[in-house]
Amino acid sequence: MRIIKTLALVLFCSFGVLFSQNELRPKNIIILIGDGMGANYVSAAVLTLPNSPFRKFNSVGFSVTCSADRFVTESAASATAMATGHKTNHHYLGMDTLGNPVTNIFEEAKKMNRSTGLVVTCSITHATPAAFVAHVINRKEETEIAKQFLDKDIDVVIGGGAKFFIDFETSSSGTDGFNILRQKGYDIYQSTEEFFASPLENKFYALLEKEHLKKAAERNYSLADLTTKALSLLSKNENGFVLMVEGSQIDWGAHDNNQVYALSELNDFCGAI
């Protein structure tokens, strides 16, 4: 029974460094999320990847991210807990249990003049990245989530989901989301060739697929490559930055009970770490 309780606990595993009030605070914060990744995946990485970055971690912490209205969580509620510090209901994003918006870490960072960025292998309107940006009561409202992206000053956005910015028109301007972003000073990339060839001197959206990115095994670039591109711009801010990087498809390999898919995505995520 003790073993079962321990395994139940470590499924809510996260890694980080604890800072006391007397120690220096970090200038930059990078949040790395392996979607659906529990301690079993960490063990798999350590056992199968000779250069696994998890071998270098000295500290292990535990965070309970279950939904407020049920024990078993899902990405919207758990990512909201991570991004805001508030537990919430199943499928809620950036909202408390009563449906009131709660402040997320990106919004706090902007108050401190820090840059912010997202790098994911799913659509940027998917539950985990959306929890760092949007405030909705249903994670499936991806068009609404895309519209809320337009109102945020996020410096770097990399992932999929281009269709959610092309398929709607705002009633006020009659233009698509990409044009609105251009008017706000963003560079837009939809081609991987153009994106990787660019020096990235301006804030940007790189939405490289209509919905989710291809599987790691089917891409000619890695999550590490995308993360490096994000850091090249974010690191220019002298005040620091907050970056969230998600290995989004680790979870999907597990849903499919596909060991090759899951371990391939885990390896891709380890490269980003």
Side-chain angles (χ1 to χ4, degrees), residues 37-50 52 54-55 259 262-263 266-267 270:
M37 188 188 75
N40 49 346
Y41 276 89
V42 177
S43 299
V46 170
L47 292 171
T48 62
L49 304 173
S52 169
F54 289 113
R55 294 173 180 264
Q259 177 178 327
L263 289 178
L266 177 60
N267 186 39
C270 283

Side-chain angles (χ1 to χ4, degrees), residues 256-273:
D256 292 346
N257 199 27
N258 186 327
Q259 177 178 327
V260 173
Y261 183 13
L263 289 178
S264 174
E265 297 298 326
L266 177 60
N267 186 39
D268 190 44
F269 180 61
C270 283
I273 298 175

Side-chain angles (χ1 to χ4, degrees), residues 102-161:
V102 287
T103 304
N104 61 55
I105 190 172
F106 276 21
E107 292 164 337
E108 291 290 351
K110 283 300 176 181
K111 294 176 184 177
M112 304 169 67
N113 296 317
R114 298 190 181 193
S115 297
T116 54
L118 289 171
V119 181
V120 299
T121 58
C122 60
S123 166
I124 64 165
T125 57
H126 220 236
T128 303
F132 289 79
V133 178
H135 304 277
V136 295
I137 61 172
N138 191 334
R139 59 179 287 181
K140 296 181 180 179
E141 298 177 34
E142 291 190 70
T143 299
E144 173 58 29
I145 291 168
K147 290 179 179 179
Q148 292 192 26
F149 265 85
L150 303 180
D151 295 326
K152 306 293 183 178
D153 184 21
I154 306 172
D155 299 88
V156 170
V157 179
I158 305 175

Side-chain angles (χ1 to χ4, degrees), residues 33 35 75 118-131 139 142 149 157-162 164-165 206-216 219 221 223 226 244-252 261 265 268:
I33 301 176
D35 194 296
S75 291
L118 289 171
V119 181
V120 299
T121 58
C122 60
S123 166
I124 64 165
T125 57
H126 220 236
T128 303
R139 59 179 287 181
E142 291 190 70
F149 265 85
V157 179
I158 305 175
F164 296 107
F165 292 80
L207 303 189
L208 306 176
E209 297 289 343
K210 288 185 176 180
E211 197 162 354
H212 308 302
L213 298 190
K214 296 176 181 177
K215 297 177 180 178
R219 288 188 256 117
Y221 59 90
L223 183 58
L226 299 178
M244 193 283 280
V245 179
E246 184 194 29
S248 314
Q249 299 187 35
I250 297 171
D251 191 39
W252 304 349
Y261 183 13
E265 297 298 326
D268 190 44

Side-chain angles (χ1 to χ4, degrees), residues 26-28 109 112-115 234-242:
K27 176 181 178 180
N28 307 311
M112 304 169 67
N113 296 317
R114 298 190 181 193
S115 297
L234 293 172
S235 60
K236 295 179 181 180
N237 188 338
E238 295 181 355
N239 295 316
F241 63 83
V242 178

